[in-house]
């Protein structure tokens, strides 16, 4: 996705949107999948830097979706490494 610049960053955020929508509707997405996606996106400095540079709005949407999943009780992270800001 990182080869696709602005649109790649948008697709990274859209993937979580789609997974989150399915979780809300079907209640069939195990929380560890959100942990894995978090680790692959917000948990990687190079992905954060890419999204901040190419599409800051997509990065904000990604952070917002993770927060919404936590607030909805759909994601209870098993990772102890989440920063306080990521827990909100």
């Amino acid at each position: 996705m990182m080869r696709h610049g602005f649109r790649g960053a948008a697709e990274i955020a859209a993937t979580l949107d789609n997974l989150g929508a399915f979780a809300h509707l079907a209640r069939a997405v195990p929380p560890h999948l959100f942990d894995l996606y978090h680790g692959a996106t917000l948990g990687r400095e190079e992905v954060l830097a890419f999204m901040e540079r190419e599409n800051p709005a997509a990065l904000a949407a990604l952070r917002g979706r993770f927060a919404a999943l936590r607030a909805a009780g759909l994601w209870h992270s098993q990772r102890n490494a989440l920063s306080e800001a990521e827990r909100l």
Side-chain angles (χ1 to χ4, degrees), residues 42-57:
L42 296 182
R44 293 180 57 196
E45 289 296 323
E46 64 272 19
V47 175
L48 283 173
F50 159 73
M51 292 186 76
E52 182 64 39
R53 180 182 67 250
E54 297 293 334
N55 193 338

Side-chain angles (χ1 to χ4, degrees), residues 1-56:
M1 289 307 198
M2 292 170 60
R3 288 185 297 207
H4 300 286
F6 178 88
R7 187 68 209 150
E11 287 297 326
I12 290 170
T15 298
L16 184 62
D17 282 342
N18 294 332
L19 186 61
F22 186 68
H24 278 284
L25 292 171
R27 303 280 182 191
V29 179
H32 78 274
L33 292 181
F34 294 117
D35 271 344
L36 290 171
Y37 202 71
H38 184 275
T41 57
L42 296 182
R44 293 180 57 196
E45 289 296 323
E46 64 272 19
V47 175
L48 283 173
F50 159 73
M51 292 186 76
E52 182 64 39
R53 180 182 67 250
E54 297 293 334
N55 193 338

